[in-house]
Structures are given as C-alpha cells and as structure tokens.
C-alpha cells in the first residue's frame, strides 16, 4: 500500500469492496483525501491512518462498487426539464401510470402541461399497451397532456392539441405524420416515420421553467442519478440543445461547485445544411478538454450531420441515408480531425456505419485518426466487418440499452434470430474493440443504470422477452466494467476513474444489494445506499443518510411531479414520512393499521395480483378503503 502522508478526510471500513483493480480486486477499507483514493486495503492497514478529524463510516459488510458512469446520457437537456416531467420509468402497470397522471393533472396549474417524456415502453406494463386518447381526455379534459413513447410517437389530449395549435390546415411534417380523422382534423397521435422531428418540435412548444427553477431541476436530476449509483456521465448533446445558450445552467452549477455528477459533454449540431459552419465556429471558440474533472469538453456529436441520422424506430423500415451523406460527413470529420477533436456518431444500422467508415478511412489516409478516441453510438446491427474496420482505425462503440425497450418491435419486424446479437456486445469485447455501456436516456430509454446492467446480464427486455442466448450475455464482472473502467476511454480519462484504486478519483457506491450475489431478476431494482463523488457523500439513505454532504432544496415549482413521485418507479410514493406529514399529505382522515397513511406503498407494492387494493384488503389492511 502506498504511504499516506496526511490523515484522510474519510474512511470506509468493514466492507466487501470490489475495486476492479486486477492487482487488488478485493478490499475491506478505503481512505479518501483531496477528492482521491489515498489507501485501499485491509481494515488493519487503513484504519490506523485515521486522524482526529477523519470521518469514519462502518459499512457493516456491505458490498462496495466503483461509481457507475453512463456513456450516453442527455443530462444537460434532461436536467432543464426534469422537474416538469411525470416519469413512467419503472411503473409496472398502465393503471398505476394513469392514476399518477390523474393526480398530477389535479395539481398542475394553467397554462402548464403534464408531460410524460419517454423513458418507458408499453411492454413494461401488465396491460401491454399505451393509453388511448380518450383515456387521456377523460382524466385531463382541460389540462394539456403530452405523452412521448420512445421516439416512435407522441399522444396529445384535446387540450394539448389546442395549446400547440394543430388543425386540419397544419401541414404534414417531413418524415413524420399527424394522424387525422375522416374530416382531416388531428386526432392527437403524432408518428415518427421514422424522423422524430415532429415529436421534438411539438414538445418544444410547451412552457419552460425559469432559470432559477432549471438550476433546481438539474440538481434534482443529478440527485436522482446519484440515488441510482451514477457518479459520472458523457452528455451526448441533443436536439433543441443549443451551445452555448442551453449550457448556461450546467455551467453555473459547475462554477458554484454544485455538480454531483462528473460530466463530459459533446457538442451536437443543430441546423441541417449548417453543420460545417457549426463545427468551424466551435473549434475556433472552444477547446477540447477545456474544464476540470467535474465538467469538461469531450468533442463533437452525437449528431455530426443530419444527412447521416438513421432514426432508431424499429416500428418503421430502416431508413436509407441520402446520397449527400458522405460529402456532408467528410467536410465535418476533416475539420474535427485537423483540430484533434474526438467525435461520437449516432448510427443504428450497419448500412449507415459502413458508409461512415468509408469516409473515416478516406480522411485517415490524409490525417491519421489513431489516438482520437472517436466512436459510434448504438450500433444495434453492426457487422463483423465493420467491427474490424473500427478497430483498425482506433475507434470504439458505445452501446446503450435501447433494445431493452424496443426489443419486441425489432423482433416483430426482423425476427427473433436477427435480434440475438443486437448489438453484438460480447463479440465486440472478444475482438478487443473498445466497448462500453450507457442508457441514451431520458427519452428513448430510462436513465436507470441497473436496467442496462440487467439487460447485459440476462438478455431480457423490460417487458420480459428473452432476446439473447446465454452465449451472447455478459457475466456480472464484465457488465460492471462496461459501466465503469471501460467508459473512461470514451472520455479520454483512462486511469483517472472507474476503479477503486489509490490515486484515482474517489467515486464509489454502496448498492442496496450484492450485485454479484442477488438473483438476476433483482438487478434492475437496485438502488444506492451511499454514493460518493470526489470523497463527498452526495447521496445517503437509511443508516447512511446522516453522512450526506449535499442538501438539495425541494423541487420547484411546488406542483412538480418530482415532489410526489421522485423519479424511477415513482419511488417517492414509498418514502417514509412523519405521521403528521403523512396525515397532511394523505388527507384521508384515518390510518391503516399496517401502513399508516402510506396507502400508496400498499397500492404500488409488487405483488403477483392484478387488484392490489383488494389483495391488501383481504390481508386485513385498510388501505383499500381510502
């Protein structure tokens, strides 16, 4: 163990620490100072380092893992809007989701909308369907409701249609469809075919939060990620996320030392036909790697040129890219290579990847790409030939768990056999290709990293479909590395984080169950009991809550869905509250002998029955009577 010259600020001991350091894979204790790990080893070696001001936390035998790093998360855009969104991520029945919607409609003031903006699929619901427009109108006759399902459709109630102004005279969007009735009037269903621009543009018409609320919203989104064990992410830009205007909030939080997620960000071009101008401007006015260990520039993408955007709607046929794709892409890639900017490129299908590689190989003959840490995102149908070509150019592939949400649609269109290696994660790893994992949240999939880890290990969708044979699934150690040390190459931070190792940044988590021992079916339900970023306790629950160093004010505005539901799986409904607070929040006048005033806990409990209220009533619980 490296000699420690000063007393640590924090020591964790008595744990089962998975370090992912192959020279020292397991430890009992870890010490931190100045934001880094300064000692990792046995209790007997680390505990004597404590000084009079060292905080000491007894892990009581809990498993400890390196902090999780999402290789593709739209955290900047997602943070600006998080407090406005009712999240259906992880909700297991449409009945529960609609009950949440109805309750949110009741407290949302005009002219605000109720928005369910992705992160879920109809296949996660017991009912295996989406709500109808009639059902939305019944619960929200006057409040606009916008529901985004993946990137394939949006459903608007009548009030939302009126708010956005779509009528029989509204023109059809390119690459999309406004579904109409026999008289030509919009019904409220918008379809991506497969271009999702109509979905983005409609959502953008809704009210926005003022800046002070956007700051609060972003902090709550980061806290939700910390609750799930995420300590770092690479932001992939996004539509309607303009640089530098829409980065002001995250930059202010970084300047105020309020980031609880380490963030590397890529710049995403915003205007078709102006991509070259965007990157010429950005390479002049910003510098790759500018920033610090919490907030830093990571290059270009995921959109490089619009002519190369192959939208991932598996309900629609694969789109053919336009003939000008290669010319557009070459102009941008040459600018990036000349300025030594890495890039990431959205590419769902091998047909797109192969054409892009033709361009990259052409540029490489003039400007070598080795050492640039460039990569493709997604790559669901990538071929062996393309894998080899990427490796030869020194690139990588960042995969995300989009198939966990769209696997059923892929199988419907292409068949079960074609889905068995979409993407071929294990094969890419076997061939030595740089490969890591993430979510592509918040719209096309949920931000929950444990859903991704479950998908990598089990090969199942969130709807329970087994897509991959066991031979294509990963063991748990490899899956964890995909979410930790492997991600660091994609942000050019190898050796700096991703392991619990002396000298690396002090980011770790204590999950609420042993990732290596729990049943496979339980992986997706994991949360963090303790999340540490840079030696600072950014999230603690249960016995670890007393150690929190970060306090986030209540979600704003007061009617924010985050106050009532929290985030993934509507976890806040099950949060413990004082008896007085429970009574005030409930307003029902009487408590249940089993659950007190936490009736929602009973109603949303995971039980193998369809009528949960009646089931609890049969057990003698009075929540059914509320």
């Amino acid at each position: 163990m490296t000699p420690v010259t000063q007393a640590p600020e924090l020591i964790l001991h008595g744990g089962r620490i998975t370090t992912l350091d192959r020279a020292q894979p397991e430890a009992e204790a870890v010490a931190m100072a100045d934001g880094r790990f300064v000692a990792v080893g046995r209790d007997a070696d680390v505990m004597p380092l404590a000084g009079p001001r060292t905080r000491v936390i007894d892990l009581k035998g809990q498993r400890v893992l390196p902090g999780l790093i999402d290789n593709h998360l739209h955290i900047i855009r997602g943070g600006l809007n998080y407090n406005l969104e009712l999240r259906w991520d992880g909700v297991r029945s449409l009945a529960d989701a609609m009950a949440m919607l109805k309750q949110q409609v009741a407290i949302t003031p005009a002219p605000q909308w109720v928005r369910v903006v992705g992160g879920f699929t109809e296949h996660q619901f017991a009912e295996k369907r989406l709500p109808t427009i009639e059902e939305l109108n019944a619960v929200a006759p006057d409040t606009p409701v916008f529901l985004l399902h993946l990137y394939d459709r949006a459903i608007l109630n009548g009030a939302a249609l009126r708010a956005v102004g779509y009528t029989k005279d509204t023109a059809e969007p390119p690459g999309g469809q406004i579904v109409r009735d026999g008289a030509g009037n919009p019904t409220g269903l918008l379809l991506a075919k497969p271009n999702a621009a109509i979905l983005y543009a409609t959502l953008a018409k809704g009210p926005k939060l003022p800046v002070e609320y956007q700051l609060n919203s972003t902090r709550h989104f980061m806290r939700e990620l910390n609750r799930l064990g995420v300590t770092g992410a690479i932001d992939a830009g996004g539509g309607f996320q303009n640089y530098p205007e829409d980065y002001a909030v995250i930059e202010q939080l970084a300047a105020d030392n309020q980031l609880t997620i380490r963030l590397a960000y890529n710049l995403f071009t915003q205007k078709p036909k102006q991509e070259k101008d965007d990157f010429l401007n950005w390479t002049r006015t910003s510098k790759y790697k500018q920033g610090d260990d919490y907030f830093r520039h990571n290059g270009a993408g995921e959109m490089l040129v619009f002519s190369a955007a192959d939208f991932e709607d598996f309900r629609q046929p694969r789109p053919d890219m336009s003939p000008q794709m290669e010319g557009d892409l070459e102009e941008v890639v040459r600018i990036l290579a000349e300025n030594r900017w890495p890039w990431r490129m959205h590419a769902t299908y091998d047909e797109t990847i192969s054409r892009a590689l033709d361009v990259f190989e052409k540029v490489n003959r003039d400007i070598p790409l080795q050492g640039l840490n460039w990569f493709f995102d997604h790559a669901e149908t990538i071929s062996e030939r393309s894998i080899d070509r990427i490796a030869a150019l020194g690139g990588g592939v960042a995969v995300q768990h989009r198939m966990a949400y769209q696997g059923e649609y892929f199988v419907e269109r292409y068949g079960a056999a074609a889905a068995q290696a979409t993407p071929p994660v294990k094969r890419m790893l076997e061939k030595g290709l740089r490969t890591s994992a993430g979510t592509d949240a918040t719209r096309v999939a949920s931000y929950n990293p444990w859903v991704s880890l479950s998908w990598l290990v089990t090969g199942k969708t969130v709807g329970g479909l087994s897509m991959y044979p066991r031979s294509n699934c990963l063991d748990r150690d490899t899956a964890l590395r995909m979410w930790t040390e492997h991600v660091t190459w994609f942000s050019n931070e190898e050796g700096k984080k991703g392991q619990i190792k002396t000298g690396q940044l002090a980011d770790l988590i204590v999950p609420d169950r042993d990732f290596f021992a729990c049943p496979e079916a339980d992986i997706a339900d994991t949360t963090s009991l303790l999340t540490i970023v840079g030696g600072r306790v950014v999230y603690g629950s249960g016995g670890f809550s007393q150690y929190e160093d970060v306090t986030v004010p209540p979600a704003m505005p007061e009617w924010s869905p985050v106050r009532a539901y929290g985030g993934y799986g509507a976890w806040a409904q099950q949060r413990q509250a004082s008896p007085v607070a429970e009574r005030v929040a409930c307003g029902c006048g009487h408590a249940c002998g089993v659950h007190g005033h936490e009736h929602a806990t009973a109603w949303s409990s995971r039980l193998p029955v369809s009528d949960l209220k009646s089931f609890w009533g049969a057990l003698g619980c009075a929540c059914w009577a509320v």
Side-chain angles (χ1 to χ4, degrees):
M1 191 167 66
T2 304
V4 177
T5 59
Q6 66 182 66
E9 296 160 8
L10 177 64
I11 289 177
L12 310 185
H13 70 99
R16 292 176 295 156
I17 302 173
T18 298
T19 67
L20 296 184
D21 176 4
R22 298 185 190 278
Q24 185 184 22
E26 296 286 335
E28 297 172 334
V30 58
M32 295 162 249
D34 296 328
R36 295 182 180 270
F37 297 120
V38 295
V40 181
R42 299 177 303 163
D43 283 349
D45 296 324
V46 175
M47 287 299 289
L49 302 175
R53 296 186 178 180
T54 301
R55 282 201 301 173
V56 178
I57 300 176
D58 186 353
L59 295 167
K60 302 184 186 302
Q62 291 277 357
R63 174 72 64 184
V64 179
L65 305 175
L68 303 179
I69 309 167
D70 193 326
N71 73 12
H72 187 129
L73 179 62
H74 297 279
I75 184 173
I76 297 173
R77 180 183 67 192
L80 297 178
N81 302 295
Y82 181 71
N83 283 3
L84 287 176
E85 296 174 356
L86 179 67
R87 303 301 306 181
W88 280 1
D89 312 39
V91 178
R92 302 192 178 188
S93 80
L94 179 60
D96 287 345
M98 290 299 290
M100 293 167 61
L101 181 66
K102 183 177 181 179
Q103 292 167 23
Q104 186 59 40
V105 166
I107 64 170
T108 300
Q112 296 293 335
W113 298 10
V114 175
R115 318 166 202 224
V116 181
V117 186
F120 77 99
T121 171
E122 62 181 326
H123 297 291
Q124 77 191 39
F125 295 144
E127 298 89 342
K128 303 296 182 184
R129 69 175 182 88
L130 294 173
T132 65
I133 295 171
E134 291 74 21
E135 287 171 327
L136 295 183
N137 284 330
V139 299
D142 302 310
T143 302
V145 173
F146 176 96
L147 191 155
L148 178 68
H149 181 252
L150 306 174
Y151 275 155
D152 67 41
R153 66 196 54 216
I155 306 175
L156 283 67
N157 69 343
L161 271 180
R162 294 190 293 273
V164 299
Y166 293 165
T167 69
K168 65 188 306 180
D169 298 321
T170 302
E172 284 293 281
Q177 180 184 0
I178 300 173
V179 177
R180 303 170 192 267
D181 63 18
N185 297 305
T187 64
L189 179 61
L190 310 178
L191 298 177
K193 288 201 156 185
N195 191 319
I198 181 61
L199 312 183
Y200 311 150
T202 305
L203 177 58
K205 292 177 181 289
K208 295 177 174 58
L209 290 173
V211 171
E212 60 268 29
Y213 286 6
Q214 290 179 337
L215 290 163
N216 176 277
S217 179
T218 301
R219 294 189 69 189
H220 274 277
F221 187 30
M222 289 190 294
R223 182 167 177 81
E224 168 71 352
L225 294 168
N226 294 152
R227 186 185 71 87
L228 294 168
V230 178
T231 61
I234 309 177
D235 185 274
F240 294 88
Q241 183 179 324
N242 293 291
Y243 182 83
E245 298 88 345
D246 292 325
Y247 290 68
V249 166
I250 199 75
E251 287 176 345
Q252 182 173 334
L253 291 173
D256 294 342
N257 195 31
Q258 291 184 334
L259 294 184
T260 60
I261 298 285
R262 297 189 191 277
L263 185 59
Y265 61 93
N266 290 77
L267 298 185
F268 181 120
T269 188
Q270 292 295 316
K271 297 176 182 177
K273 310 295 186 184
Q274 297 182 35
E275 300 98 331
K276 179 181 177 181
D277 292 338
D278 273 345
F279 289 111
L280 281 172
N281 175 47
W282 290 336
T283 52
R284 283 195 301 263
T285 59
S286 58
K287 184 178 180 182
Y288 170 53
K289 289 188 180 181
Q290 68 185 28
D292 57 25
D293 291 333
Y294 274 91
F295 184 63
R296 60 191 295 275
H297 189 308
N298 197 52
E302 65 179 298
M303 182 74 80
L304 298 180
V305 294
F306 281 85
S307 56
D310 62 349
F311 295 95
E312 66 282 358
D313 181 357
F314 297 128
R315 284 181 160 182
Q316 299 292 328
R318 177 185 62 80
D320 287 320
M321 298 297 94
S322 68
Q324 74 256 29
M325 168 186 155
E326 283 83 354
D328 294 346
L329 190 58
E330 183 179 346
E331 284 188 333
V332 167
V333 169
R334 283 191 179 277
I335 292 168
L336 299 175
E338 287 167 356
N339 286 276
R340 307 311 290 170
W341 271 36
W343 66 84
R344 63 190 310 158
M345 178 177 162
H346 166 109
T348 302
Y349 299 97
D350 189 61
E351 289 80 357
T352 308
I353 293 169
S354 179
R355 289 177 61 182
L357 284 168
D358 291 342
V359 174
F360 298 169
E361 288 167 345
K362 181 179 179 181
V363 173
N364 182 65
R365 288 193 285 271
D366 300 325
I367 311 168
L369 303 185
Q370 284 288 344
L372 268 187
N373 292 38
W374 66 270
F375 57 96
F376 285 106
D377 275 303
H378 318 311
E380 276 84 1
T381 70
I382 190 171
S383 66
E384 290 250 351
R385 172 65 179 140
S386 292
I387 293 171
D388 292 338
R389 293 172 71 189
I390 294 168
L393 290 173
V397 171
V399 302
Q400 294 82 37
H401 64 172
R402 303 191 312 181
M403 288 295 286
Y405 291 84
Q406 297 195 62
E408 287 84 355
Y409 301 134
F410 190 95
V411 169
E412 285 175 14
R413 178 165 292 277
Y414 299 108
Q420 288 186 353
T422 50
V425 178
K426 194 166 187 179
R427 184 60 177 153
M428 289 189 285
L429 290 170
E430 288 171 348
K431 293 173 80 69
L433 186 68
R434 299 284 191 171
T435 311
S436 65
T439 63
D440 199 5
T442 59
R443 297 177 180 177
V444 76
S446 176
Y447 51 75
N448 188 337
W450 303 100
V451 176
S452 171
L453 285 159
S454 175
W455 166 71
L456 290 168
V457 170
T458 69
K460 292 182 179 181
T461 69
V462 295
L465 174 67
S466 292
M467 288 187 300
Y468 311 143
R470 297 303 298 188
S471 59
N472 287 350
C473 297
L474 303 183
D475 62 80
R476 298 190 197 197
D477 180 84
T478 303
L480 181 61
R481 291 178 189 276
M482 288 275 288
W483 263 91
T484 51
E485 63 171 337
H486 285 199
V487 185
T488 61
W489 179 87
F490 293 77
S491 58
N492 211 341
E493 295 175 288
E494 286 184 288
K496 181 177 286 187
K497 60 183 182 180
Q499 299 169 302
I500 300 176
K501 182 177 181 180
T502 299
Q504 291 204 12
L505 296 170
D507 306 341
L508 62 75
I509 62 172
V510 180
D512 67 351
R513 65 205 68 191
D514 188 340
F515 173 67
F516 292 102
C518 70
E520 284 187 349
D522 290 351
I523 293 174
D525 294 324
T526 304
T527 60
S528 181
L529 297 174
L530 180 70
T531 301
I532 293 175
V533 179
R536 182 173 56 157
V537 178
V538 298
Y539 180 82
S541 67
F544 296 112
S545 60
Q546 62 182 305
Y547 301 109
E548 279 196 333
D549 296 317
V550 176
T551 301
V552 180
M556 299 300 292
E558 292 183 352
W559 49 267
S560 169
V562 173
R563 289 205 181 194
Y565 302 107
Y568 186 88
W571 63 266
Q573 284 190 321
Q574 302 181 38
R575 179 176 50 200
Q576 290 290 337
S578 71
V580 172
E582 288 171 0
R583 225 170 21 249
V584 171
C586 178
C588 70
H590 71 276
C592 156
V594 179
H595 300 98
H597 285 268
E598 288 197 296
H599 310 299
T601 299
W603 298 339
S604 61
S605 294
R606 299 183 182 120
L607 297 168
V609 293
S610 59
D611 187 348
L612 291 168
K613 292 179 73 176
S614 297
F615 181 82
W616 279 114
L619 290 182
C621 164
C623 288
W624 65 274
V626 175

